[in-house]
């Protein structure tokens, strides 16, 4: 199932559910994530980096932000300690500036009015996912909430998406997954699920969005309503 960015996604049967990545897709969490990694920079005697420089790496979480802010990557002797310090810092500020992206609140309300289930599948650890969703007053509204440590594998493995489909009782072929990172699209493809690349998200570190192979590219949240086969 594929479509050019301007085309409507075609379904054999209308979509029954929409699943969202969290950081950079459902919610703008970059301010809090960047605040946490800048805390590490200050501890090391470095000045904070501007939000606009680190923002594109926010969807890659600790791995991406530590790499961009400190040039330290997985496999480096310091990485795991820095990752733990980053997560501890983030825990103290994870709901300070996080908000839904423009148009997302209306989109969720419209999905609910049309009896289309929605949920979240993120690589964010569960101890952070739940407080962020609580801060957005969305925990009770979401049909499923799968975090990076909810299943044995995280995205780009399909298991988190397939688990979400099992929880809401919908076949993957009738679910649209929306994400702003290459791993999101890869996970959807592996799960046999149509995908939408969220061009409003933290695009920038994963290459050109048009090369990801998403079923459709969407410029803003409400455009997703055009791609549900209804």
């Amino acid at each position: 199932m594929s479509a050019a960015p301007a085309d409507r996604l075609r379904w054999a049967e209308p979509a029954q559910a929409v699943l969202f990545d969290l950081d950079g897709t459902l919610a703008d969490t970059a301010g809090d994530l960047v605040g946490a990694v800048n805390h590490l920079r200050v501890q090391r005697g470095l000045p904070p980096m501007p939000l606009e420089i680190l923002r594109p790496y926010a969807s890659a979480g600790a791995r991406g932000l530590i790499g961009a802010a400190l040039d330290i990557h997985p496999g480096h002797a310091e990485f795991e300690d820095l990752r733990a310090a980053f997560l501890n810092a983030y825990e103290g500020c994870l709901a300070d500036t996080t908000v839904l992206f423009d148009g997302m609140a209306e989109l969720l309300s419209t999905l609910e009015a049309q009896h289309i289930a929605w949920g979240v599948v993120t690589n964010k650890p569960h101890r952070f996912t739940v407080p962020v969703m609580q801060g957005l007053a969305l925990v009770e509204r979401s049909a499923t909430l799968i975090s990076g440590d909810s299943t044995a594998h995280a995205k780009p493995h399909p298991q988190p998406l397939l688990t979400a489909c099992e929880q809401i009782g919908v076949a993957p072929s009738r679910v649209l997954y929306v994400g702003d990172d290459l791993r999101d699209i890869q996970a959807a493809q592996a799960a046999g699920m149509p995908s939408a690349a969220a061009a409003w998200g933290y695009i920038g570190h994963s290459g050109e969005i048009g090369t990801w192979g998403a079923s459709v590219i969407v410029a803003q949240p409400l455009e997703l309503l055009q791609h549900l086969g209804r």
Side-chain angles (χ1 to χ4, degrees), residues 76-91:
H76 189 284
E78 291 186 78
F79 180 80
E80 289 303 324
D81 285 343
L82 282 171
R83 181 179 182 275
F86 169 82
L87 295 177
N88 286 335
Y90 180 55
E91 192 165 24

Side-chain angles (χ1 to χ4, degrees), residues 16-20 111-112 114-119 143 168 170 175:
Q16 290 184 315
V18 180
L19 296 174
F20 298 94
L111 293 176
E112 291 166 353
Q114 295 182 3
H115 305 289
I116 299 173
W118 67 268
I168 59 179
V170 178
V175 179

Side-chain angles (χ1 to χ4, degrees), residues 83-115:
R83 181 179 182 275
F86 169 82
L87 295 177
N88 286 335
Y90 180 55
E91 192 165 24
C93 66
L94 52 75
D96 287 357
T97 64
T98 290
V99 293
L100 292 176
F101 280 102
D102 289 345
M104 188 58 70
E106 184 177 351
L107 171 63
L108 298 181
S109 295
T110 302
L111 293 176
E112 291 166 353
Q114 295 182 3
H115 305 289

